[in-house]
Amino acid sequence: MLGSTEFPVLSKEGDITIGGVFSIHSQISKPLLSFTNDSESLICSRINFREFRFAQTMIFAIQEINNSSSLLPNISIGYKVYDSCGSTLPSMRAVMGLMNGQERTLDKTCSGQSSVHAIIGASESSSTIAMLQISGVFKIPVISHFATCACLSNRKEYPSFFRTIPSDYYQSRAIAKLVKHFGWTWVGVVRSDNDYGNNGMETFIAAASHEGVCVEYSEAISRTDPSWRVERAVRAIHDGTARVLVAFLAQGEMDILLEEALRQNLTGLQWVGSESWITAGHLAIERYSGILTGSLGFAIRKTLITGLQDDLLREFWEAIIGCSFKSKFYVQKQCSGSERLEDNSNPFTDVSQLRISNNVYKAVYAVAHAMHNMLRCGPNVAVSQSCKWTDNLQMEQVVKQLQDVNFTLPSGERVNFDVNGDPTAIYELVNWQRNQAGDIKFVAVGSYEASIPNGEQLIMNEQSTTWASESPKMPHSVCSESCLPGFRQAVIQDKPICCFSCIACAAGEISNSSKCSRCPLEFWSNEDHSQCVPKVIEFLSFVETMGALLTAFSLLGASSTLLVLCVFFRFHHTPLVKASNSELSFLLLFSLTLCFLCPLTFIGRPTEWSCMLRHTAFGITFALCISCILAKTLAVVIAFKAKSPANTLMQCSAPLQKITVLSCTLLQVLVCVLWLLLAPPFPFKNTAHATERIILQCNLGSPIGFWAMLGYVGLLAMLCFILAFLARKVPDNFNEAKFITFSMLIFCAVWLTFIPAYVSSPGKFTVAVEIFAMLGSSFGLLCCIFAPKCYILLLKPERNTKKHMMGRNQMYLHI
């Protein structure tokens, strides 16, 4: 069936005329150009039943309005429908014809006013843009039902353009979210090489990049391309590694692509389509089922237009039924006239998928409501006077009224336009599935809305879950497989971000397959770096080997000291014990017992009280111990250096020893009290020294307080050592000053060694070094001072006599 683009294919007179531009034919024959004669008319072929249904829907809507008593009463609407043949040149001729009536006039001049008040169409973005270049000058409103290019939302360039289909800006973003939803991060794209495909794909690639989806290849084809270009594009798709193909194609390009795909046996791909072809019934046939079954894409929501199916044209009877009223040898059957159109399934009579047709329906009603408001039609006025008709309708007023329309269709759908002339973006996610009979059906598996309060949102229903789990074609389309736990993605040079290598995470980091992230301060990574686990808390405990050994040595020292105390108490009346100053000896043994028990406060989990107790107890007990030794040493020195009588010296020595012990100890107590009041020690989680564990230790609070306390003990020890060294040559059979010298030598050596070891030891070993120093110095004092005496008391009792203990200086016996 051939058609001309020069004259309207369908027309009817009316008070208001609405123009229509549809791609009723899909092929165009270009005439030979001549510079001597008028150019020939463009001839179109290959009828497009879907587009013809759009034109018929427009006529049906106009008839409904003409029969309505509430919308434009006493005003009739006419129409002029032109065939654009899906090309820009016929579209430009069509709009010229709509504006001026018949394009070719006898006097070859244009009339002064447009013959139409609004134009419905065209179906292609490029054709619509070409029409707007002409109609926009005269501000004739153009309402497209199928032109989705986001560029048409530019109000500055197209102030008189409206559409009843959402902009591709939203569809492209919806497709990007869809492929991300299914984890398809590696896709190929093919587009129409026109405004529709180029602008839509540009938005998709930008949105896909934001979603972390990469494009392996991008091919562009046009219905006018030579066959080798289409062949090259399909070969690139076939050779690609992406298993998902996003096809942003108009129907014309989709047809030629599918034919070439069949020739090259292009199968095994998941197709994601745009609204232009995803619900095209002429593609859902067995011929293409091996390629397109399982396709996904966004479509306009379908609706039902009551009465449309009964309003079809009889002139298409033969083409639809496949019969002829006239007898021809190549016709398989003759029409009897009793066939039923509704019994046949074809793109013209199929009104089960009224999506774009409904957009045409809405566009016609939008024009009618705009004219109704502009003519001030009222429902309460008599029918003959209901609209104030004027012959001089201004196009600017029509555009203004269209911008403000807001009405509800009988189906309940709301119709209005935003500031850019666009409707609310609502899509239905369609999946091509086979029914039990084996036919391909368009099944809604989700939706996408851009007008919800929380922004754009992709909503999947239960059928999408069922399809995804049961579909044998469900692909796995990635450039690189996700990294295993414990590895992160590393970009490969000159490759998209979706192509990466996997590198192991560092210690203390976990991965979520894309990057490594450090665990919180008190957590550490497990062995496979898949999750953060609490760090091991380290402190010197009683149950571990080192803690148990130190505890045993501490108790052994305390027990030994108590045993010595019992021995001294048993032999307290003997000359040796008396010569050793029994009171100071018992006090010294008591303090040594505390010194041995003091390390127990350093073992175990540090708490606020244990931190304050351990250091202060250590300082005071050791100060008391050294004070007792200092008093004994001081007494020995005074006894052997003094020239006073023995009785006088005895009277002065005892009070001096008590004062020495008390004053030296109280001074340490004062230091510790000030330390606790100003900056006491407290429990502290040390995460800086060891990254993989938490060292639970006591913070000194004030290092000055600690070193002042420790330095004071050292000062007393040095003083004892000096005094004992001066009295080391006392002429008696039991020279206690000599043993005190040895004990202080050991004491000072232990604590001088302690300082560098304490500073450099990590974690719990810091506490262990401190305990070693306490135990070592305590055992040194116990062994050097009391072991010789216990030896005489227990093993050499014959030497424990007054005569034996007397030396040249008799006063020593009474010290």
Side-chain angles (χ1 to χ4, degrees):
M1 181 176 182
L2 304 179
S4 172
T5 63
E6 189 171 342
F7 301 99
V9 294
L10 298 168
S11 64
K12 179 183 178 181
E13 296 294 327
D15 299 324
I16 297 172
T17 303
I18 299 177
V21 181
F22 302 97
S23 303
I24 297 177
H25 293 85
S26 57
Q27 280 190 349
I28 184 171
S29 61
K30 297 182 180 179
L32 296 175
L33 299 178
S34 173
F35 296 100
T36 58
N37 300 321
D38 289 343
S39 61
E40 299 178 10
S41 299
L42 297 174
I43 303 299
C44 302
S45 60
R46 187 180 291 180
I47 190 169
N48 186 327
F49 288 108
R50 189 187 191 197
E51 289 284 333
F52 188 78
R53 188 178 71 222
F54 297 161
Q56 190 63 26
T57 302
M58 171 182 161
I59 296 172
F60 174 78
I62 291 174
Q63 291 174 350
E64 265 194 351
I65 296 169
N66 287 337
N67 294 331
S68 172
S69 60
S70 59
L71 186 60
L72 289 175
N74 81 311
I75 300 294
S76 64
I77 302 178
Y79 53 84
K80 292 182 179 180
V81 178
Y82 277 77
D83 186 2
S84 70
C85 298
S87 182
T88 54
L89 182 58
S91 299
M92 295 175 68
R93 285 195 172 188
V95 75
M96 291 294 293
L98 289 172
M99 290 170 54
N100 197 46
Q102 183 176 326
E103 183 184 15
R104 297 187 178 187
T105 58
L106 294 175
D107 54 2
K108 297 186 179 181
T109 60
C110 296
S111 61
Q113 188 175 1
S114 172
S115 64
V116 295
H117 300 90
I119 300 174
I120 309 296
S123 295
E124 302 85 14
S125 296
S126 295
S127 298
T128 304
I129 292 172
M131 291 168 50
L132 287 168
Q133 301 298 331
I134 300 172
S135 64
V137 176
F138 302 96
K139 298 181 175 58
I140 300 174
V142 175
I143 309 173
S144 178
H145 57 287
F146 215 174
T148 57
C149 179
C151 58
L152 290 167
S153 297
N154 189 334
R155 260 299 184 243
K156 187 176 181 180
E157 291 190 28
Y158 311 109
S160 59
F161 174 73
F162 299 86
R163 55 183 161 193
T164 52
I165 189 169
S167 166
D168 276 338
Y169 170 80
Y170 298 104
Q171 181 185 201
S172 300
R173 292 165 62 87
I175 294 175
K177 289 182 179 293
L178 176 66
V179 296
K180 179 64 175 179
H181 173 80
F182 288 107
W184 301 328
T185 58
W186 188 238
V187 301
V189 297
V190 60
R191 68 187 188 278
S192 296
D193 193 9
N194 53 26
D195 295 286
Y196 167 73
N198 293 331
N199 283 275
M201 190 55 63
E202 181 182 1
T203 305
F204 166 77
I205 291 176
S209 177
H210 179 73
E211 295 288 345
V213 177
C214 298
V215 175
E216 180 185 10
Y217 55 82
S218 180
E219 298 293 328
I221 61 173
S222 174
R223 73 187 75 180
T224 58
D225 282 344
S227 59
W228 64 267
R229 286 188 179 176
V230 181
E231 181 183 349
R232 183 182 64 182
V234 174
R235 190 179 302 111
I237 297 171
H238 186 277
D239 295 340
T241 59
R243 307 321 302 156
V244 174
L245 177 63
V246 178
F248 221 96
L249 296 168
Q251 286 192 43
E253 284 76 26
M254 189 64 183
D255 290 339
I256 62 174
L257 181 72
L258 286 176
E259 289 301 320
E260 182 61 30
L262 282 174
R263 194 183 72 82
Q264 295 192 28
N265 193 26
L266 181 65
T267 58
L269 293 179
Q270 170 66 52
W271 290 67
V272 179
S274 57
E275 91 298 327
S276 63
W277 65 267
I278 197 63
T279 55
H282 73 282
L283 299 179
I285 58 177
E286 188 63 30
R287 177 176 176 82
Y288 303 130
S289 61
I291 299 175
L292 295 178
T293 300
S295 295
L296 281 170
F298 289 98
I300 307 304
R301 285 184 174 177
K302 65 180 180 181
T303 188
L304 175 66
I305 303 177
T306 305
L308 178 60
Q309 188 174 20
D310 299 328
D311 199 63
L312 303 178
L313 296 177
R314 289 181 176 270
E315 62 184 276
F316 288 92
W317 191 283
E318 290 183 353
I320 297 171
I321 299 299
C323 63
S324 175
F325 286 103
K326 297 180 180 180
S327 177
K328 295 182 181 179
F329 69 90
Y330 55 83
V331 175
Q332 296 180 353
K333 62 178 181 178
Q334 276 190 300
C335 296
S336 64
S338 61
E339 295 87 356
R340 293 176 58 83
L341 290 176
E342 57 268 25
D343 293 338
N344 292 271
S345 176
N346 55 75
F348 183 64
T349 59
D350 183 13
V351 294
S352 64
Q353 296 287 333
L354 291 183
R355 302 175 190 272
I356 310 304
S357 297
N358 187 50
N359 288 345
V360 177
Y361 188 78
K362 290 188 289 185
V364 175
Y365 267 86
V367 174
H369 277 272
M371 300 300 296
H372 183 92
N373 295 335
M374 189 172 69
L375 296 176
R376 300 179 182 177
C377 301
N380 297 325
V381 186
V383 173
S384 59
Q385 302 175 352
S386 57
C387 294
K388 298 179 181 180
W389 174 254
T390 175
D391 292 327
N392 188 22
L393 292 176
Q394 298 297 318
M395 294 295 101
E396 296 92 334
Q397 291 298 316
V398 180
V399 172
K400 182 180 183 304
Q401 292 297 331
L402 271 171
Q403 183 67 67
D404 297 335
V405 294
N406 193 340
F407 61 94
T408 303
L409 290 173
S411 62
E413 186 175 359
R414 197 77 183 167
V415 180
N416 51 35
F417 302 105
D418 63 14
V419 293
N420 296 320
D422 295 329
T424 302
I426 301 176
Y427 295 97
E428 188 174 80
L429 180 59
V430 173
N431 177 225
W432 291 32
Q433 299 181 13
R434 288 187 181 273
N435 59 14
Q436 293 182 349
D439 300 325
I440 295 177
K441 296 297 181 182
F442 305 136
V443 180
V445 294
S447 63
Y448 182 85
E449 298 187 28
S451 60
I452 58 177
N454 296 330
E456 304 169 37
Q457 185 173 357
L458 175 65
I459 304 172
M460 308 298 290
N461 58 26
E462 293 181 359
Q463 287 180 312
S464 68
T465 306
T466 304
W467 165 76
S469 61
E470 297 179 355
S471 175
K473 284 189 64 178
M474 191 67 175
H476 179 63
S477 187
V478 295
C479 180
S480 299
E481 293 294 336
S482 298
C483 294
L484 295 173
F487 293 82
R488 66 173 177 85
Q489 297 176 2
V491 176
I492 302 174
Q493 190 174 5
D494 300 327
K495 292 284 187 178
I497 60 172
C498 299
C499 302
F500 49 83
S501 57
C502 296
I503 297 178
C505 292
E509 294 181 339
I510 61 171
S511 68
N512 57 359
S513 79
S514 62
K515 62 180 181 179
C516 296
S517 57
R518 183 159 291 278
C519 292
L521 190 61
E522 296 188 6
F523 289 81
W524 194 250
S525 57
N526 58 358
E527 288 187 6
D528 59 0
H529 295 263
S530 61
Q531 62 180 344
C532 291
V533 295
K535 286 183 179 179
V536 175
I537 296 179
E538 180 183 277
F539 58 90
L540 188 60
S541 66
F542 289 100
V543 295
E544 63 180 293
T545 304
M546 184 184 297
L549 287 175
L550 293 175
T551 301
F553 279 108
S554 177
L555 296 176
L556 176 63
S559 302
S560 300
T561 306
L562 291 176
L563 184 61
V564 172
L565 182 62
C566 293
V567 171
F568 265 59
F569 182 77
R570 170 68 179 80
F571 297 99
H572 70 279
H573 59 281
T574 62
L576 179 60
V577 176
K578 291 181 179 180
S580 300
N581 195 328
S582 58
E583 291 184 2
L584 274 180
S585 296
F586 285 124
L587 184 58
L588 178 57
L589 287 169
F590 171 73
S591 63
L592 270 177
T593 303
L594 296 179
C595 289
F596 276 116
L597 294 176
C598 189
L600 298 179
T601 63
F602 285 76
I603 303 175
R605 189 183 188 94
T607 62
E608 184 177 353
W609 284 102
S610 67
C611 285
M612 291 190 293
L613 176 63
R614 60 173 58 173
H615 289 102
T616 53
F618 158 70
I620 294 173
T621 54
F622 271 80
L624 176 61
C625 180
I626 303 302
S627 298
C628 293
I629 298 173
L630 178 62
K632 290 173 70 68
T633 308
L634 189 60
V636 172
V637 172
I638 293 175
F640 290 98
K641 297 294 182 181
K643 299 179 181 180
S644 302
N647 293 335
T648 306
L649 185 60
M650 279 179 51
Q651 294 176 358
C652 298
S653 178
L656 180 61
Q657 291 174 338
K658 294 178 181 178
I659 293 173
T660 301
V661 173
L662 184 61
S663 59
C664 292
T665 305
L666 286 178
L667 189 57
Q668 180 73 303
V669 171
L670 179 62
V671 172
C672 292
V673 169
L674 290 175
W675 183 16
L676 293 177
L677 290 177
L678 297 178
F682 57 89
F684 170 65
K685 293 180 179 180
N686 186 347
T687 57
H689 192 278
T691 56
E692 76 282 1
R693 63 186 188 277
I694 297 175
I695 300 174
L696 196 58
Q697 61 187 42
C698 288
N699 187 289
L700 295 177
S702 172
I704 296 175
F706 173 75
W707 291 110
M709 176 270 297
L710 190 62
Y712 180 72
V713 174
L715 178 63
L716 293 179
M718 289 299 297
L719 187 58
C720 278
F721 175 75
I722 294 172
L723 292 177
F725 182 79
L726 294 176
R728 71 188 184 283
K729 295 182 179 180
V730 174
D732 63 339
N733 292 330
F734 186 81
N735 190 347
E736 190 173 25
K738 185 190 301 182
F739 299 117
I740 293 176
T741 303
F742 286 134
S743 66
M744 288 298 102
L745 188 62
I746 295 173
F747 186 91
C748 293
V750 168
W751 285 103
L752 286 175
T753 307
F754 156 78
I755 294 174
Y758 178 83
V759 173
S760 60
S761 297
K764 61 184 179 182
F765 297 103
T766 304
V767 179
V769 166
E770 197 167 357
I771 295 175
F772 277 129
M774 286 187 282
L775 292 177
S777 57
S778 298
F779 274 111
L781 294 176
L782 180 64
C783 293
C784 291
I785 295 176
F786 291 99
K789 298 178 182 180
C790 290
Y791 174 76
I792 294 174
L793 290 174
L794 298 175
L795 300 178
K796 298 291 183 178
E798 67 277 5
R799 296 172 57 181
N800 188 8
T801 61
K802 184 175 180 181
K803 179 180 179 180
H804 185 80
M805 298 300 300
M806 293 291 293
R808 287 181 299 175
N809 196 333
Q810 192 175 356
M811 292 179 293
Y812 179 72
L813 186 62
H814 303 286
I815 295 176

